PDB file of all heavy atoms in Angstrom:
ATOM      1  N   ARG A   6      90.017 100.068 101.616  1.00  0.00           N
ATOM      2  CA  ARG A   6      90.723 101.258 102.112  1.00  0.00           C
ATOM      3  C   ARG A   6      91.947 101.563 101.251  1.00  0.00           C
ATOM      4  O   ARG A   6      92.203 102.719 100.911  1.00  0.00           O
ATOM      5  CB  ARG A   6      91.127 101.079 103.573  1.00  0.00           C
ATOM      6  CG  ARG A   6      89.998 101.343 104.543  1.00  0.00           C
ATOM      7  CD  ARG A   6      90.480 101.509 105.976  1.00  0.00           C
ATOM      8  NE  ARG A   6      91.205 100.351 106.479  1.00  0.00           N
ATOM      9  CZ  ARG A   6      90.638  99.305 107.078  1.00  0.00           C
ATOM     10  NH1 ARG A   6      89.326  99.273 107.236  1.00  0.00           N
ATOM     11  NH2 ARG A   6      91.357  98.290 107.507  1.00  0.00           N
ATOM     12  N   SER A  48      86.016 121.095  96.584  1.00  0.00           N
ATOM     13  CA  SER A  48      85.252 120.337  97.583  1.00  0.00           C
ATOM     14  C   SER A  48      85.092 118.879  97.173  1.00  0.00           C
ATOM     15  O   SER A  48      85.147 117.979  98.023  1.00  0.00           O
ATOM     16  CB  SER A  48      83.880 120.975  97.802  1.00  0.00           C
ATOM     17  OG  SER A  48      84.038 122.194  98.490  1.00  0.00           O
ATOM     18  N   ARG A  56      86.997 110.555 102.194  1.00  0.00           N
ATOM     19  CA  ARG A  56      86.508 109.166 102.128  1.00  0.00           C
ATOM     20  C   ARG A  56      87.666 108.170 102.231  1.00  0.00           C
ATOM     21  O   ARG A  56      87.506 107.097 102.800  1.00  0.00           O
ATOM     22  CB  ARG A  56      85.750 108.923 100.819  1.00  0.00           C
ATOM     23  CG  ARG A  56      84.274 109.167 100.923  1.00  0.00           C
ATOM     24  CD  ARG A  56      83.495 108.600  99.747  1.00  0.00           C
ATOM     25  NE  ARG A  56      84.015 108.995  98.453  1.00  0.00           N
ATOM     26  CZ  ARG A  56      83.650 110.086  97.790  1.00  0.00           C
ATOM     27  NH1 ARG A  56      82.749 110.897  98.303  1.00  0.00           N
ATOM     28  NH2 ARG A  56      84.164 110.368  96.621  1.00  0.00           N
TER      29      ARG A  56
END
Side-chain angles (χ1 to χ4, degrees):
R6 280 194 302 272
S48 289
R56 268 194 309 271

